[in-house]
Amino acid sequence: MKGNTLKKLGFGTIAAAMAGSMLAGCSSNGDGSAAPPQQPAANQPAGPLTIKMTLNFDGKEVPKKDNEVELAIEKYTNTKLELTHISSNDFCTKLPVMIASGDLPQVIASCGAPSQSYLISAAQGGTFWDITNIIKEFKNLSSMPKIVYDNVSIDGKLYGVPRFRPVARYTTAYRKDWADALGIKEPKTLDDYYNMLKAFTENDPDKNGKKDTYGITAMIQNTAFSPDFGLMFGAPNNWGEKDGKFIKAEETPEYLEGLKFTKRLYDEGLLNKDFATIDRGKFEGDLENGKAGAISATTNTVLAYQTRVQKQNPNGNLDFFSVLEGPKGKRVQADRGSNGILMFPKAAVKTEAELRQLLAFFDKLADKEMADLLEWGVKGKHYDIKDGKPVRTNQELYDNEVSFPYKLPLRAVPLDDIKTQGDLDPISKKVLEIEKDNEKYAVKDPAMVLISDTWNQKGAELLQILNDAKVKFVMGKIDEAGWQKAVEQYKKAGGDKVAEEYAAAAAKAKK
Amino acid sequence: MHTHASLPSKIFDAINFTVLGLVGLAAFLPFVYVVVTSFSAQNVVWPTEFTLDTYKYIFSTATFVRSIGVSVYITLLGTVLSLLATSLMAYSLSFKYLPGRSGILLMVLFTMLFNGGLIPTYFVVKQLGMINSLWSLMVPGLISAFYLIVMRDFFASVPHELIESAKIDGAHDIGILLRIVLPLSLPALAAFGLFYAVGIWNQYFSAIMYINTPEKWPVQVILRQIVVLASGGLGDSGGSSGENVAYYGQGVKMAVIVVSTIPILLVYPFLQKHFAKGALLGSVKG
């Protein structure tokens, strides 16, 4: 009995397995779900251009193919899109393998900044098209600030279209309702800021009669301190350059001042005692639950934080500021100005004409009609017109159906000025102002486009030395001498060599 | 309990029970914590409120339900295929007179010590046309070298006389395997079946590497994505946090663990009786 069923089952599945492994190339193994996808017929000269893209994806669920938004994009740009959305984390693992195997689509996103060693060597090895000179032909694409291109170029060449985002977007979000209750105005200087945090901790801003709140929630985030006050006190942004010499921010006395400030917050209980060990959940949760009064954020996350705070407390209200008057004036950290680049592999894009067609596609995405689609979504579904201005009706639906799958991975050019101006909430309005305003105070990281082999190999290790020392210093386990010792240790472990390599690379770039 | 136990023996028992009990608790409590947290309201250290929100969140995507289907499908088919392929190969290798036997075994052993690495494997899968096909989740790991060797020993322990007498009665080799050897090796089949099933159920890396369309993602890929999203750690290596994503808390992670563990927990009791025998017997005899 058993033998017989096993036998029947056995031969059927063996046959299937054989077909699967040996003939998988032709999709006739009778198993629909396992069949490789049919290649689209290549012989459609006049029809829409088929574009295969592999993009990183940060949303919850990839929308079904041929949804309204995708069809609208295809119609406007006369293309047939074949998008592969891969969750960002997975994509970062997969990208090196795809590059190494040469199995690439026409358009592929870089996972994060293109300054990663495998991307650099792939670009130097001619895997991707160099678009430095071609991009100038496209009016929308070439409209981005020069710094955005500079920050993603490899050896001075541009190997992809940067996905723009504001250059300086770091802010501090704080509980406006708390500040109002205590009669505090938006901080303008570091002292104001300190006083606000102190009041948040000691003056019972939520008026519940208990001393159960504190100033700012902090954590170690992606190996960086959040918040990090070094820059405000005058330390360089990551690396400083002077007369061709490079110096890491942590080596400067200004950085130590910032660290002392953090320590003061810690000692006085204005900063959570468990900052060194908590995960993101607790970090953001404390703001959400009304325990902490402030958090380091980026301009694009403030609104989301506000929504979350209001979920817990309907009267909760956030506001934010970006630059403070510190001992060395107003300073804010400059970012790369883009969220990865979109690259065009030579393996899939054979001719320069084809490359131009692809670039034209991204250029068209910044036309007004597409900008409205990407920024507002579909009328009646994601937004409505009120008093002649579009108003978002369902943020979550918009995020899931438009923002995550299309706007964020595909938009290259900033669309804010192109789209129909809508009726914005106060935070979104302020975000746009601050992002512009910040450009004046942004402190660049001179090492951003430079390549250091030592850093590529040992960067994580070196950062660890510094981070450990920062935590210990703030917690009072080491003093200034101990901090200097750790910095020396960092320099000996490779820090000095990195600085030399950056200096050499910078000198080479200037020639 | 023994009524006439001596005092030292009673003390020994007491210590024994206490230590084992503690060890048991140490293994069990994390699970309790996971399950309890998965039902708790957001962002609290010790759960106070009961909520199903986390599960609602997980099941709110159509992708999730479909991915369970994919996982069940590849687990069932993959386990059957793996067991078949493994037992076929193990059976033939269990005969000492098989020509080239030691050579084949050496090659099998070689794969236990060295593997081709990510990129060559990717190439092989690609050349076989299995990119974006569910076969890529079953075929590359079809036979585990270790299970093969254990199973071969298990088959070798079946009395040779039995096989000879069946041959005299006119049975052919495949008949002997299916009717005599495999039924006698049920414990091994059950044990390795479970090992294979757990392995296929839990695999997510191959899916990430080889599967491009979300419709074919097994459940682990989706779960991982949910966890990554829920912890807010988006793939933005630029430094600070990524784009705005609602935060769903620790509970979601825990619910994910519960959901991905349940199917295996359900299967385990039915195979457990074979388990110790299957995993041990084969490896002891050699």
Side-chain angles (χ1 to χ4, degrees):
Chain A
M1 258 286 281
K2 266 184 188 166
N4 274 335
T5 34
L6 199 64
K7 194 167 164 183
K8 275 178 204 151
L9 197 70
F11 287 121
T13 37
I14 290 175
M18 294 300 184
S21 57
M22 305 179 88
L23 305 171
C26 64
S27 58
S28 60
N29 51 30
D31 184 353
S33 65
Q38 293 287 336
Q39 301 295 315
N43 51 356
Q44 331 168 296
L49 172 74
T50 302
I51 309 182
K52 277 190 180 180
M53 293 191 245
T54 302
L55 304 163
N56 58 323
F57 177 67
D58 289 324
K60 184 168 139 194
E61 188 177 20
V62 180
K64 285 212 172 64
K65 215 181 143 35
D66 294 337
N67 60 70
E68 236 172 312
V69 181
E70 191 165 324
L71 287 177
I73 297 177
E74 288 181 337
K75 194 171 158 226
Y76 184 82
T77 56
N78 191 28
T79 51
K80 184 98 198 68
L81 299 180
E82 287 187 25
L83 304 179
T84 303
H85 283 112
I86 299 175
S87 164
S88 287
N89 282 272
D90 301 338
F91 186 66
C92 298
T93 320
K94 189 165 173 166
L95 184 61
V97 180
M98 289 179 78
I99 290 174
S101 71
D103 188 20
L104 295 165
Q106 282 144 293
V107 180
I108 194 159
S110 74
C111 179
S115 58
Q116 300 157 75
S117 50
Y118 70 91
L119 278 176
I120 293 170
S121 53
Q124 286 170 339
T127 309
F128 306 110
W129 281 94
D130 170 8
I131 60 168
T132 323
N133 298 318
I134 309 175
I135 201 166
K136 290 175 190 140
E137 299 165 16
F138 298 90
K139 76 170 182 355
N140 291 330
L141 291 181
S142 55
S143 70
M144 278 181 270
K146 186 171 175 295
I147 180 176
V148 177
Y149 297 116
D150 289 347
N151 281 345
V152 294
S153 57
I154 297 169
D155 299 335
K157 286 180 194 148
L158 191 63
Y159 287 98
V161 181
R163 291 190 285 204
F164 179 85
R165 75 179 170 200
V167 174
R169 57 192 198 114
Y170 292 99
T171 66
T172 304
Y174 67 96
R175 289 288 293 267
K176 178 91 166 79
D177 53 324
W178 286 12
D180 288 347
L182 299 170
I184 302 171
K185 289 210 179 71
E186 182 180 296
K188 297 276 178 240
T189 66
L190 262 171
D191 287 337
D192 292 350
Y193 184 39
Y194 169 79
N195 289 333
M196 183 180 84
L197 296 181
K198 193 154 181 87
F200 278 176
T201 314
E202 285 165 7
N203 298 351
D204 189 26
D206 56 356
K207 303 289 176 205
N208 66 353
K210 284 182 229 157
K211 193 171 176 285
D212 57 355
T213 52
Y214 65 93
I216 183 164
T217 173
M219 79 176 282
I220 306 284
Q221 193 177 335
N222 293 337
T223 72
F225 232 82
S226 171
D228 191 323
F229 295 102
L231 190 84
M232 280 189 205
F233 277 90
N237 175 9
N238 195 19
W239 283 92
E241 186 188 12
K242 206 179 170 192
D243 308 328
K245 280 203 169 138
F246 276 70
I247 183 164
K248 180 103 173 96
E250 280 85 347
E251 295 176 40
T252 61
E254 288 89 353
Y255 191 88
L256 184 60
E257 287 306 309
L259 211 52
K260 280 187 197 156
F261 184 71
T262 316
K263 182 170 166 48
R264 187 168 158 210
L265 297 182
Y266 176 84
D267 289 343
E268 295 177 17
L270 314 187
L271 185 132
N272 44 326
K273 297 277 176 200
D274 54 359
F275 74 94
T277 49
I278 58 168
D279 65 355
R280 209 180 173 82
K282 174 110 190 348
F283 171 69
E284 295 181 343
D286 276 2
L287 178 83
E288 224 173 303
N289 298 332
K291 277 191 195 137
I295 193 168
S296 293
T298 49
T299 48
N300 56 347
T301 50
V302 179
L303 195 59
Y305 280 138
Q306 156 134 322
T307 318
R308 289 196 236 163
V309 167
Q310 284 177 345
K311 238 184 213 169
Q312 305 282 329
N313 176 1
N315 300 322
N317 198 7
L318 290 188
D319 199 354
F320 67 98
F321 58 88
S322 198
V323 281
L324 290 175
E325 190 84 42
K328 295 269 168 92
K330 291 183 175 179
R331 293 161 69 84
V332 63
Q333 184 186 348
D335 211 356
R336 196 170 292 275
S338 59
N339 184 15
I341 60 174
L342 297 161
M343 305 175 293
F344 309 94
K346 284 184 181 161
V349 183
K350 298 287 178 209
T351 62
E352 223 170 280
E354 204 182 336
L355 178 66
R356 281 199 169 80
Q357 283 180 310
L358 294 172
L359 286 168
F361 165 78
F362 288 105
D363 200 53
K364 274 187 200 155
L365 283 184
D367 287 353
K368 189 160 192 290
E369 194 176 333
M370 285 293 101
D372 279 344
L373 178 74
L374 293 176
E375 292 279 344
W376 295 111
V378 177
K379 196 185 158 190
K381 205 173 175 189
H382 307 116
Y383 75 97
D384 274 322
I385 302 281
K386 250 185 219 157
D387 304 329
K389 282 179 168 182
V391 176
R392 185 148 296 150
T393 48
N394 188 336
Q395 181 75 33
E396 200 183 336
L397 200 67
Y398 164 78
D399 281 344
N400 287 333
E401 293 184 355
V402 187
S403 184
F404 283 128
Y406 301 105
K407 179 186 151 190
L408 296 175
L410 288 175
R411 161 205 62 171
V413 183
L415 304 178
D416 289 322
D417 295 336
I418 302 167
K419 73 172 183 210
T420 307
Q421 296 308 316
D423 198 10
L424 290 175
D425 54 290
I427 289 188
S428 303
K429 258 188 205 140
K430 194 170 173 187
V431 163
L432 296 179
E433 287 164 22
I434 291 242
E435 283 171 355
K436 279 236 163 64
D437 192 45
N438 271 357
E439 285 175 19
K440 280 178 276 180
Y441 311 115
V443 180
K444 275 193 269 180
D445 172 4
M448 196 172 269
V449 288
L450 303 176
I451 301 165
S452 152
D453 288 336
T454 311
W455 186 261
N456 283 342
Q457 284 161 19
K458 296 175 78 176
E461 195 184 311
L462 295 173
L463 275 180
Q464 192 65 45
I465 298 175
L466 293 174
N467 277 326
D468 286 350
K470 283 180 209 173
V471 171
K472 281 184 188 152
F473 185 84
V474 170
M475 291 188 154
K477 286 185 182 144
I478 55 172
D479 55 4
E480 275 178 46
W483 166 253
Q484 298 301 352
K485 223 172 105 188
V487 171
E488 282 308 313
Q489 191 196 343
Y490 150 83
K491 286 166 82 171
K492 273 200 202 101
D496 278 339
K497 210 167 162 215
V498 175
E500 280 164 30
E501 283 170 6
Y502 278 144
K508 209 174 125 198
K510 274 194 190 116
K511 265 180 210 164
Chain B
M1 289 288 288
H2 304 286
T3 43
H4 296 291
S6 63
L7 187 66
S9 138
K10 272 183 188 161
I11 294 173
F12 177 76
D13 279 351
I15 294 174
N16 222 353
F17 281 126
T18 320
V19 170
L20 285 180
L22 285 177
V23 171
L25 269 184
F28 186 65
L29 280 182
F31 277 104
V32 175
Y33 178 75
V34 165
V35 173
V36 170
T37 315
S38 76
F39 284 110
S40 75
Q42 298 179 12
N43 298 336
V44 277
V45 179
W46 188 249
T48 45
E49 275 174 71
F50 178 84
T51 166
L52 283 172
D53 283 356
T54 51
Y55 289 91
K56 274 188 205 143
Y57 175 64
I58 296 182
F59 282 96
S60 66
T61 62
T63 332
F64 183 74
V65 180
R66 193 178 45 219
S67 73
I68 290 185
V70 171
S71 271
V72 168
Y73 172 81
I74 58 164
T75 306
L76 290 179
L77 182 60
T79 307
V80 169
L81 290 180
S82 284
L83 277 181
L84 255 158
T86 312
S87 48
L88 281 175
M89 188 164 172
Y91 181 60
S92 34
L93 286 174
S94 71
F95 293 110
K96 292 210 170 64
Y97 56 78
L98 182 79
R101 186 176 90 128
S102 54
I104 294 172
L105 273 174
L106 265 180
M107 286 199 278
V108 170
L109 277 174
F110 185 80
T111 67
M112 286 177 74
L113 299 174
F114 307 97
N115 68 58
L118 189 56
I119 289 162
T121 312
Y122 185 89
F123 264 115
V124 171
V125 173
K126 190 184 163 209
Q127 292 300 319
L128 290 173
M130 290 193 292
I131 293 291
N132 209 18
S133 138
L134 288 184
W135 290 112
S136 65
L137 305 181
M138 300 183 271
V139 175
L142 192 66
I143 298 177
S144 146
F146 179 69
Y147 301 163
L148 173 80
I149 289 170
V150 178
M151 213 158 186
R152 182 198 67 120
D153 293 344
F154 205 103
F155 289 153
S157 72
V158 173
H160 199 67
E161 295 75 12
L162 200 62
I163 294 167
E164 265 177 1
S165 72
K167 256 196 184 144
I168 291 166
D169 288 342
H172 53 78
D173 282 331
I174 289 180
I176 293 170
L177 173 69
L178 293 179
R179 289 185 188 182
I180 296 170
V181 180
L182 284 185
L184 280 173
S185 311
L186 269 185
L189 288 181
F192 293 123
L194 186 68
F195 288 157
Y196 275 127
V198 174
I200 299 175
W201 178 266
N202 279 338
Q203 73 176 348
Y204 86 92
F205 192 73
S206 348
I208 286 165
M209 280 299 134
Y210 307 133
I211 304 289
N212 290 328
T213 39
E215 289 82 38
K216 291 178 189 169
W217 275 344
V219 69
Q220 304 293 346
V221 176
I222 306 280
L223 291 179
R224 191 178 113 100
Q225 197 168 333
I226 291 174
V227 170
V228 167
L229 268 186
S231 49
L234 295 172
D236 174 50
S237 54
S240 182
S241 82
E243 310 294 342
N244 32 330
V245 166
Y247 169 66
Y248 286 88
Q250 188 80 348
V252 171
K253 286 189 212 169
M254 296 307 168
V256 160
I257 298 175
V258 172
V259 169
S260 60
T261 317
I262 281 177
I264 294 301
L265 278 183
L266 289 181
V267 180
Y268 192 78
F270 299 101
L271 295 172
Q272 201 202 7
K273 57 177 179 183
H274 299 298
F275 214 71
K277 203 179 163 200
L280 281 179
L281 208 90
S283 56
V284 170
K285 300 200 172 182

